[in-house]
């Protein structure tokens, strides 16, 4: 069976519907940056770019581009980092900054990525794949939780995460450097809003008085 990140790393992709601590190691992603409301054309274009490149890389074995240590795998779910220049609010979207991204296997190299960019430019010239990059990202200590339902109700889930942080003497470090993180396990085009599943993850640190 193809390797599936969600099944092999359930602690990162399938948390329970209650807050939990997680230490997220370095992972490799295709990323596209942007700003504004997620309903904007710019965000939709970014999603199209990261999917196009991810599926091109997945099929590279059939193009005689197989890198060392290659194995068959399932394309990982779409993820998003969200922040703003000021205080981040889930209710105020107009000032959001974001990175749309999809995790890649560790065997994917910059050379493989550059090949995929060239392939996409030839086959889908309308997609601005030059906006994308291949980059490693280490998230570190976080609190995460599964959110069930529409994106508009996420603040209630984040509030549960904040209560968990307070009970455990932790600080929410979401800001311009460490960001609000969402992992989309459902396709909103095919899933009823009340059945959507989204992993919510916030970076944390110990409160100052609890540091050794």
């Amino acid at each position: 069976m193809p390797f599936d990140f969600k099944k092999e790393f359930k602690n990162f992709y399938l948390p329970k519907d209650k807050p939990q601590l997680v230490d997220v190691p370095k992972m490799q992603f295709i990323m596209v940056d942007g700003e504004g409301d997620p309903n904007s054309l710019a965000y939709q274009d970014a999603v199209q770019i990261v999917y196009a490149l991810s599926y091109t890389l997945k099929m590279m074995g059939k193009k005689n581009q197989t890198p060392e240590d290659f194995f068959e795998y399932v394309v990982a779910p779409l993820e998003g980092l969200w922040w703003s220049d000021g205080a981040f609010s889930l209710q105020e979207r107009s000032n959001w900054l974001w990175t749309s991204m999809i995790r890649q296997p560790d065997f994917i190299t910059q050379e493989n990525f550059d090949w995929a960019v060239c392939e996409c430019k030839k086959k889908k010239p309308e997609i601005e794949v030059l906006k994308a990059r291949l980059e490693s990202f280490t998230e570190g200590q976080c609190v995460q939780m599964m959110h069930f339902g529409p994106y508009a109700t996420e603040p209630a889930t984040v509030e549960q995460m904040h209560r968990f942080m307070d009970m455990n003497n932790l600080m929410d470090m979401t800001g311009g450097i460490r960001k609000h993180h969402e992992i989309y396990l459902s396709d909103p085009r095919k899933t009823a809003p009340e059945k959507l599943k989204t992993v919510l993850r916030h970076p944390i640190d110990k409160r100052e008085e609890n540091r050794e």
Side-chain angles (χ1 to χ4, degrees):
M1 295 293 292
F3 183 91
D4 189 332
F5 287 104
K6 297 190 301 297
K7 294 180 180 178
E8 299 297 329
F9 299 104
K10 292 181 179 179
N11 55 325
F12 299 135
Y13 295 99
L14 297 172
K16 297 180 180 180
D17 59 345
K18 59 182 180 180
Q20 65 182 55
L21 287 169
V22 63
D23 190 0
V24 187
K26 181 169 72 173
M27 301 178 184
Q28 183 170 234
F29 293 87
I30 291 176
M31 297 179 166
V32 175
D33 298 327
E35 60 183 68
D37 193 292
N39 293 316
S40 67
L41 182 60
Y43 180 74
Q44 302 308 316
D45 287 346
V47 171
Q48 188 177 26
I49 291 167
V50 294
Y51 269 119
L53 289 169
S54 294
Y55 276 99
T56 299
L57 285 168
K58 171 182 166 58
M59 301 303 293
M60 65 185 168
K62 297 183 178 180
K63 300 288 186 178
N64 297 318
Q65 295 291 325
T66 307
E68 186 177 356
D69 300 327
F70 176 86
F71 51 78
E72 294 291 337
Y73 63 95
V74 177
V75 171
L78 178 70
E79 306 187 31
L81 300 176
W82 304 87
W83 72 102
S84 63
D85 287 332
F88 178 75
S89 168
L90 285 170
Q91 286 84 5
E92 175 54 56
R93 298 183 172 193
S94 62
N95 66 342
W96 280 2
L97 303 171
W98 44 259
T99 298
S100 182
M101 59 193 199
I102 294 179
R103 185 179 179 180
Q104 304 299 311
D106 291 340
F107 58 70
I108 298 295
T109 65
Q110 185 64 46
E111 182 180 357
N112 300 142
F113 175 77
D114 293 341
W115 169 84
V117 168
C118 290
E119 286 290 295
C120 285
K121 285 174 64 178
K122 288 187 294 185
K123 294 182 178 180
K124 299 181 178 180
E126 73 279 7
I127 300 178
E128 298 182 80
V129 289
L130 292 178
K131 290 183 176 180
R133 67 186 183 278
L134 182 69
E135 184 174 306
S136 293
F137 172 55
T138 305
E139 202 162 13
Q141 290 284 334
C142 298
V143 169
Q144 69 177 14
M145 179 176 170
M146 184 70 79
H147 171 72
F148 293 97
Y151 304 128
T153 62
E154 286 183 7
T157 298
V158 172
E159 179 57 32
Q160 291 186 58
M161 294 163 63
H162 283 161
R163 288 198 296 268
F164 175 84
M165 293 178 201
D166 289 341
M167 291 174 60
N168 290 276
N169 296 312
L170 302 171
M171 295 186 297
D172 190 337
M173 301 302 292
T174 303
I177 297 176
R178 302 179 70 190
K179 291 135 186 170
H180 173 81
H181 190 168
E182 300 185 358
I183 303 175
Y184 308 103
L185 302 180
S186 309
D187 185 341
R189 299 169 302 176
K190 303 176 182 178
T191 308
E194 65 273 13
K195 294 184 178 180
L196 290 172
K197 294 194 296 183
T198 310
V199 180
L200 302 185
R201 185 182 293 162
H202 277 203
I204 54 94
D205 199 355
K206 293 181 180 179
R207 293 191 184 278
E208 292 290 339
E209 62 268 23
N210 292 292
R211 291 185 179 179
E212 296 181 357

